[in-house]
Amino acid sequence: MATKRYDPTATDFNGRYSRWVAALEAGDDAELLEATLALPTLNKRVLGKLAAVDRDEPDSTVRAERKRMLVLLSEINANQAARLRERKQAEQRRRDRTVRVERRVELPTTCARCGTKLKEVRSTGRPRLYCSPACRKAAYEDRRAHRDGAVKVQVVEKVVTEVRERRIEVPHPRSDCVKAVLADDDLMVSVIWTLTALVRDRTRKAYDPDQPRFRKLSHHVQALHAAVVERATASAP
């Protein structure tokens, strides 16, 4: 079953998080362990971010809300990553679909008249029914004379399976790549550093100031810088 979109209400996030906070404040190790297990995305990285909030945010109300949002975002990102993995796996299964074709063939192995084992049974061409021309002629004479015990020849079929693979190429949507990057903070930082290195590389003419994309890139970078400064100013004590 495919992973559904994350819903904090359906997963009782508030109840699980409140239990963890209460256990943390009470100092009950057993309860804290169970409450932590109920928040599976509460890993070392998230705990480090929570510690940074405790250290940098003096307002207790803002500090509590920021910590709650950090844990909530960790669950949302984990859910999005799982959904992306399932979508990629489904696309891979569609690309690797196999078409199976069955062909029913049976080749006689014994003489239709005397029962002698046939030699040199061929898999192609007209199947051999008699062990020798004498048996073939005798069977013909029996059928022609309508004698009792005349051999009626019938080829029985058996199943021989042929497998033919057909690879179906499915175009990879760029939106999936964008969502995968947005769901991972480390990937976002890596993209920023990679873009910085590309712009600094003088051999890449695509990022020269006289190129059309340079002005657009410069505008986006300025907007990103302004947003970061605004966020830092708002978080400052």
Side-chain angles (χ1 to χ4, degrees), residues 118-134:
L118 297 177
K119 299 179 181 180
E120 299 179 0
V121 178
R122 299 178 181 178
S123 58
T124 59
R126 187 175 181 180
R128 186 176 181 180
L129 303 178
Y130 304 101
C131 61
S132 64

Side-chain angles (χ1 to χ4, degrees), residues 172-193:
H172 183 67
R174 293 184 179 180
S175 59
D176 288 350
C177 298
V178 174
K179 291 179 181 178
V181 172
L182 294 177
D184 193 319
D185 296 340
D186 294 335
L187 283 179
M188 292 182 62
V189 174
S190 177
V191 168
I192 294 175
W193 280 112

Side-chain angles (χ1 to χ4, degrees), residues 140-186:
Y140 170 73
E141 294 295 340
D142 289 342
R143 292 195 302 273
R144 186 177 180 184
H146 299 286
R147 296 176 183 172
D148 294 337
V151 177
K152 181 180 180 181
V153 179
Q154 181 179 6
V155 177
V156 181
E157 295 183 347
K158 69 177 181 180
V159 177
V160 178
T161 304
E162 292 181 351
V163 179
R164 293 185 300 178
E165 293 186 355
R166 181 179 62 184
R167 184 171 294 274
I168 302 175
E169 295 296 336
V170 178
H172 183 67
R174 293 184 179 180
S175 59
D176 288 350
C177 298
V178 174
K179 291 179 181 178
V181 172
L182 294 177
D184 193 319
D185 296 340
D186 294 335

Side-chain angles (χ1 to χ4, degrees), residues 23-225:
L24 188 64
E25 294 176 351
D28 188 344
D29 293 339
E31 177 65 15
L32 180 60
L33 177 60
E34 294 183 2
T36 304
L37 292 177
L39 295 170
T41 59
L42 202 61
N43 52 28
K44 185 177 181 180
R45 186 175 65 176
V46 177
L47 291 176
K49 293 181 179 180
L50 296 179
V53 173
D54 285 333
R55 182 179 62 252
D56 301 335
E57 180 56 58
D59 191 333
S60 59
T61 303
V62 177
R63 182 169 60 248
E65 184 60 27
R66 288 183 60 186
K67 291 171 66 176
R68 176 184 174 278
M69 288 302 300
L70 282 174
V71 180
L72 177 60
L73 286 176
S74 68
E75 290 202 1
I76 293 176
N77 292 338
N79 176 266
Q80 291 178 347
R83 286 167 58 86
L84 287 174
R85 284 195 301 270
E86 291 182 358
R87 182 179 299 178
K88 290 181 179 179
Q89 292 172 359
E91 291 177 354
Q92 186 64 35
R93 287 194 296 269
R94 286 196 295 269
R95 286 195 294 266
D96 296 339
R97 280 186 301 185
T98 300
V99 179
R100 297 186 178 273
V101 180
E102 292 187 356
R103 182 167 56 93
R104 302 174 65 87
V105 177
E106 164 79 6
L107 298 178
T109 57
T110 58
C111 178
R113 189 171 191 279
C114 66
T116 304
K117 185 176 180 180
L118 297 177
K119 299 179 181 180
E120 299 179 0
V121 178
R122 299 178 181 178
S123 58
T124 59
R126 187 175 181 180
R128 186 176 181 180
L129 303 178
Y130 304 101
C131 61
S132 64
C135 277
R136 183 188 304 109
K137 184 176 181 180
Y140 170 73
E141 294 295 340
D142 289 342
R143 292 195 302 273
R144 186 177 180 184
H146 299 286
R147 296 176 183 172
D148 294 337
V151 177
K152 181 180 180 181
V153 179
Q154 181 179 6
V155 177
V156 181
E157 295 183 347
K158 69 177 181 180
V159 177
V160 178
T161 304
E162 292 181 351
V163 179
R164 293 185 300 178
E165 293 186 355
R166 181 179 62 184
R167 184 171 294 274
I168 302 175
E169 295 296 336
V170 178
H172 183 67
R174 293 184 179 180
S175 59
D176 288 350
C177 298
V178 174
K179 291 179 181 178
V181 172
L182 294 177
D184 193 319
D185 296 340
D186 294 335
L187 283 179
M188 292 182 62
V189 174
S190 177
V191 168
I192 294 175
W193 280 112
T194 302
L195 181 59
T196 303
L198 292 176
V199 174
R200 288 177 176 174
D201 188 356
R202 299 297 180 88
T203 62
R204 291 186 171 270
K205 302 301 181 182
Y207 297 99
D208 286 346
D210 58 346
Q211 296 297 322
R213 71 170 61 180
F214 182 83
R215 180 173 299 179
K216 183 181 296 185
L217 177 62
S218 176
H219 174 73
H220 291 327
V221 170
Q222 291 176 6
L224 176 61
H225 179 265

